[in-house]
């Protein structure tokens, strides 16, 4: 699964994603703490320039990855859990259509990502300490909402990068898969009305 997509050129990729995440939160009417917004920006920046050390989220069955992470200890356990949460969040947020095509249950994928973040969050507390709010617990509790935010960011990036007839076709195909209002608006701005069924785009 590719980790790259066309995005608008920006003097700072973090500034670009900060604006994109803010716009996406407003578009989806989702409230998030400043810490979680910044975390989402960090995930997007990391995957815009992926490290060879990072295992792609869907390179192995998620159940195996979660099991391996939970079986690890110390900093390795925390790092693997957080990396799995990040990978699943980015993977289904940007490439949810591919997940559906491969027949992977979306709800299951979301549960794995949320579980990874929840277990990483628990490691930040000492035994017997009451649960307190932290960014990882917020990501775990609202994982599906943050997937929607990244869906919106992806739609915006793809819409901006679409060029020519081939680009428009890709936009329409994504709209068919996702029903994205953001993509429909972009098609409309280019003089096309997206409709389902035999009528297609006109």
């Amino acid at each position: 699964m590719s980790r790259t997509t066309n995005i608008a050129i920006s003097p700072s990729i973090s500034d670009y994603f900060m604006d994109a995440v803010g716009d996406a939160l407003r578009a989806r009417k989702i409230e998030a703490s400043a810490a979680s917004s910044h975390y989402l920006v960090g995930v997007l920046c990391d995957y815009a320039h992926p490290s060879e050390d990072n295992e792609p989220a869907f390179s192995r069955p998620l159940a195996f990855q979660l099991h391996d992470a939970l079986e690890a200890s110390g900093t390795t356990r925390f790092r693997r859990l957080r990396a799995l949460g990040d990978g699943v969040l980015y993977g289904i947020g940007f490439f949810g259509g591919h997940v559906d095509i491969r027949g992977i249950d979306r709800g299951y994928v979301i549960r794995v990502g949320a579980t990874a973040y929840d277990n990483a969050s628990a490691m930040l507390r000492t035994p017997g300490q009451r649960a307190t709010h932290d960014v990882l617990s917020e990501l775990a509790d609202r994982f599906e909402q943050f997937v929607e935010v990244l869906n919106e960011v992806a739609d915006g990036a793809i819409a901006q990068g679409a060029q020519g007839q081939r680009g428009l076709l890709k936009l329409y195909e994504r709209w068919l898969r996702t029903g994205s209002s953001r993509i429909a608006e972009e098609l409309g701005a280019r003089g096309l009305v997206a409709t389902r069924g035999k009528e297609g785009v006109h």
Side-chain angles (χ1 to χ4, degrees):
M1 182 181 298
S2 171
R3 286 181 170 180
T4 60
T5 188
N6 293 322
I7 61 173
I9 296 174
S10 171
S12 166
I13 193 167
S14 61
D15 289 345
Y16 169 81
F17 282 131
M18 184 65 73
D19 290 342
V21 167
D23 291 344
L25 288 167
R26 287 187 289 274
R28 295 296 178 109
K29 296 180 172 58
I30 294 173
E31 294 185 4
S33 68
S36 289
S37 297
H38 281 86
Y39 192 95
L40 294 178
V41 171
V43 169
L44 291 167
C45 290
D46 285 346
Y47 277 84
H49 299 291
S51 167
E52 292 182 359
D53 295 333
N54 291 338
E55 180 180 25
F58 298 92
S59 61
R60 292 191 299 133
L62 295 177
F64 293 171
Q65 293 186 57
L66 181 59
H67 175 268
D68 290 348
L70 291 171
E71 287 295 303
S73 59
T75 58
T76 299
R77 185 176 195 264
F78 180 82
R79 177 178 54 79
R80 287 182 179 178
L81 286 168
R82 191 174 73 169
L84 179 57
D86 291 351
V88 171
L89 178 62
Y90 180 82
I92 197 170
F94 259 67
F95 305 104
H98 295 284
V99 171
D100 295 335
I101 289 171
R102 292 170 64 179
I104 304 173
D105 181 72
R106 181 182 177 89
Y108 166 74
V109 174
I110 288 171
R111 287 193 297 275
V112 169
T115 299
Y117 278 144
D118 187 52
N119 280 274
S121 172
M123 292 184 69
L124 299 176
R125 299 187 292 272
T126 57
Q129 180 184 9
R130 291 181 58 190
T132 57
H133 174 82
D134 62 75
V135 66
L136 294 178
S137 65
E138 183 176 353
L139 290 164
D141 293 342
R142 304 175 62 194
F143 194 90
E144 189 165 11
Q145 287 184 307
F146 291 133
V147 166
E148 292 178 9
V149 171
L150 294 201
N151 286 160
E152 188 75 22
V153 172
D155 288 345
I158 292 168
Q160 291 180 22
Q163 301 294 328
Q165 292 183 343
R166 191 169 184 176
L168 286 176
L169 179 59
K170 287 183 177 180
L171 281 182
Y172 177 62
E173 289 173 344
R174 185 172 178 89
W175 178 80
L176 283 176
R177 290 195 306 270
T178 67
S180 165
S181 59
R182 175 70 177 82
I183 297 295
E185 288 174 7
E186 184 65 25
L187 289 169
R190 300 186 188 202
L192 301 173
V193 178
T195 57
R196 295 187 183 276
K198 296 181 180 180
E199 296 181 355
V201 177
H202 46 175

